[in-house]
Amino acid sequence: AGGAGSGRGGGGGEAQRQRQQQLLHNTSVNLLPGHVAAPGYIFGGYDKKSGLPYYVCNATGAAVWELPASDHLAALMRLQAAEKGSKAPKLKPGSRVAPGYLFGGYHNGIPYYVNEATKKTCWELPKGAADKETHRAAGPGGGGG
């Protein structure tokens, strides 16, 4: 399959540098196509044209150049734990991922979020927001949410 045609665009200098670093990381850990790269994402392989790695979102099947931010991955891990080890956890639109933020869905395999108060969408959660939800969920009494 062709690679990450959709997903995060362009290739500014910084984005290109990050993709090259990811390529080095992938080759050092010997990821093979189909291996789990992160919660909710598999390693798709290397783009035939550029040689850069890409990933596939389990929820949408969309190919992306970069894995989502760690806050999103943490939310998927919490969901996976709540579903008692499900291999492919899926956040549903409206799921709380951090205090004041809901999961909005995916756009071309990239997650987005909704601020409950303002109803505005954003691509990334505020720094540390998911950590607060993780501590709350792991607190006394288990569950959370």
Side-chain angles (χ1 to χ4, degrees):
S6 59
R8 294 187 187 192
E14 179 64 19
Q16 181 72 17
R17 187 184 66 73
Q18 287 176 348
R19 286 196 293 271
Q20 288 171 340
Q21 284 180 334
Q22 190 64 46
L23 173 64
L24 291 173
H25 173 73
N26 290 344
T27 55
S28 69
V29 295
N30 296 322
L31 278 179
L32 297 174
H35 283 178
V36 173
Y41 290 81
I42 61 169
F43 178 61
Y46 296 95
D47 181 66
K48 290 176 184 173
K49 193 172 188 179
S50 68
L52 295 172
Y54 67 94
Y55 308 91
V56 178
C57 174
N58 290 341
T60 66
V64 296
W65 291 115
E66 299 170 11
L67 292 170
S70 60
D71 285 345
H72 178 77
L73 298 175
L76 280 172
M77 287 173 38
R78 281 194 310 279
L79 180 64
Q80 187 173 19
E83 292 180 359
K84 296 178 178 56
S86 167
K87 279 191 164 188
K90 291 185 181 176
L91 285 173
K92 295 171 184 62
S95 298
R96 174 156 300 167
V97 292
Y101 286 87
L102 303 176
F103 176 63
Y106 291 93
H107 177 73
N108 292 330
I110 302 169
Y112 68 93
Y113 311 95
V114 179
N115 180 305
E116 288 184 280
T118 66
K119 307 299 184 214
K120 289 185 178 183
T121 60
C122 57
W123 291 111
E124 294 184 7
L125 294 168
K127 190 164 181 71
D131 293 338
K132 294 175 188 171
E133 187 73 7
T134 300
H135 294 307
R136 190 172 71 90

